[in-house]
Amino acid sequence: MSQSPLKLAVVLASVREGRFGPTVANWFVKQAQVRDDFEVDLIDLADHELPYVLSQQPSAEVAEALAKVTPRLEQADAFVVVTPEYNHSFPASLKSLIDWHYTQWQAKPVGFVSYGGLSGGLRSAEQLRPIFAELHAVTVRDAVSFHVAWEQFDANGEPKDEVAPAAAATTLLDQLSWWGDTLRQGRARRPYGK
């Protein structure tokens, strides 16, 4: 393994008023921060409002918004998307972030932490897999999901069942660590697409 920690960008996708996402994202960030193979950067899309209309020549306002998030994606060696499920899919805010960027995702691993009702947000994560494949990213197999998420956490934002979610997070992070290290070495030896 490389000596320096992998830069892991955790993307909190929900921007909805009264959202539950920060509870899930903060829990996951804590799981990643106890490891020495990751340096974690939480990117909350509520802090990065990007328009849904794409442009080859963004306005000054859009360029300013992109300047706050694009370098963070560029510097990342791996990503975890924390996403709810809205109407069997993922939030428009996440699709906007994805579509405003291209090379930032390439040859990097992506993992998913999903939450929602009975499905635990799994349909949103499954819809994201082919999108990230189109962007030349590698999605890892295992994920973390919280079914009926608002009932799974206590008042302090900790899962009521500490064991199963922590085990799932460990598996996800182990896979991200392997792929992140392998792909970082590959990009260093030969830039992707060249």
Side-chain angles (χ1 to χ4, degrees):
M1 290 220 10
S2 174
Q3 295 298 322
S4 62
L6 295 164
K7 293 181 180 176
L8 175 64
V10 177
V11 178
L12 172 50
S14 176
V15 298
R16 179 180 277 184
E17 186 177 331
R19 63 196 175 138
F20 192 73
T23 299
V24 179
N26 291 333
W27 168 81
F28 183 78
V29 164
K30 284 190 263 182
Q31 300 298 303
Q33 285 176 331
V34 299
R35 299 171 60 116
D36 60 7
D37 50 350
F38 291 109
E39 177 183 308
V40 183
D41 178 20
L42 177 60
I43 301 173
D44 187 344
L45 295 189
D47 299 331
H48 301 284
E49 188 174 338
L50 298 174
Y52 302 128
V53 178
L54 302 177
S55 170
Q56 294 288 345
Q57 298 177 330
S59 68
E61 281 182 341
V62 174
E64 183 180 343
L66 287 167
K68 293 176 182 173
V69 71
T70 300
R72 294 166 72 184
L73 298 177
E74 186 70 43
Q75 292 166 9
D77 295 305
F79 303 96
V80 167
V81 176
V82 179
T83 183
E85 182 177 315
Y86 297 160
N87 302 317
H88 289 211
S89 189
F90 52 89
S93 54
L94 177 57
K95 187 65 163 78
S96 184
L97 176 78
I98 292 168
D99 289 347
W100 273 105
H101 298 91
Y102 184 69
T103 58
Q104 292 78 11
W105 311 111
Q106 289 182 343
K108 297 178 183 178
V110 181
F112 302 104
V113 175
S114 64
Y115 61 96
L118 292 177
S119 74
L122 291 172
R123 291 176 288 217
S124 61
E126 288 307 308
Q127 288 187 20
L128 286 164
R129 289 182 188 280
I131 293 169
F132 279 110
E134 178 65 20
L135 294 167
H136 300 256
V138 177
T139 61
V140 299
R141 180 189 180 277
D142 288 271
V144 179
S145 64
F146 290 97
H147 304 263
V148 194
W150 46 93
E151 294 181 5
Q152 303 304 317
F153 287 80
D154 64 22
N156 297 318
E158 296 298 327
K160 293 175 182 175
D161 170 10
E162 297 176 13
V163 176
T170 296
T171 300
L172 170 60
L173 288 164
D174 286 348
Q175 290 175 10
L176 281 171
S177 182
W178 190 92
W179 279 104
D181 185 61
T182 300
L183 292 171
R184 178 168 66 179
Q185 290 180 45
R187 292 191 312 273
R189 282 193 308 270
R190 189 173 99 190
Y192 186 76
K194 295 193 178 186

